[in-house]
Amino acid sequence: MRMGFGGYAIITVIGLILFILLLVLWPQYNVYSQRLAGEAALAEAQSSRQVATLEARAKKESAIELADAEVIRAEGAAKANAILQNSLGGPEGYLRYLQIQALESSKASLIYVPTEAGLPVTESKRLATNR
């Protein structure tokens, strides 16, 4: 089957129309694809900002809860100290109690206990060499 001049002309016209459509539509497609890329970048930036905001809000709430817990713990410790202090005859008795507790938990073989003047009693004779 042979194609005549009319067949080549139709194919040429169709090819020319497709080429013109390509020249017209290609820039519009580039603009469209760039607009879609811009919208995707904007959506990603907004999502990232929302994630950062939610993380900051969570950190703030966590810090508030930790601070509240620390206040409650401090209030409990203060009440416990006040009860101990009052039951031991005031601040001096409480300090003496803490000193005794420290001495009991210490593994030292030599302990210096302060005297009334606040100076330690030393055992200089114990450390002297026997002659």
Side-chain angles (χ1 to χ4, degrees), residues 100-111:
I100 292 169
Q101 292 295 327
L103 290 173
E104 287 178 354
S105 65
S106 174
K107 295 181 181 180
S109 61
L110 180 64
I111 299 172

Side-chain angles (χ1 to χ4, degrees), residues 15-32:
L16 188 59
I17 291 172
L18 288 176
F19 182 71
I20 291 172
L21 281 174
L22 181 67
L23 289 178
V24 170
L25 296 178
W26 186 256
Q28 292 177 359
Y29 173 75
N30 284 337
V31 169
Y32 173 74

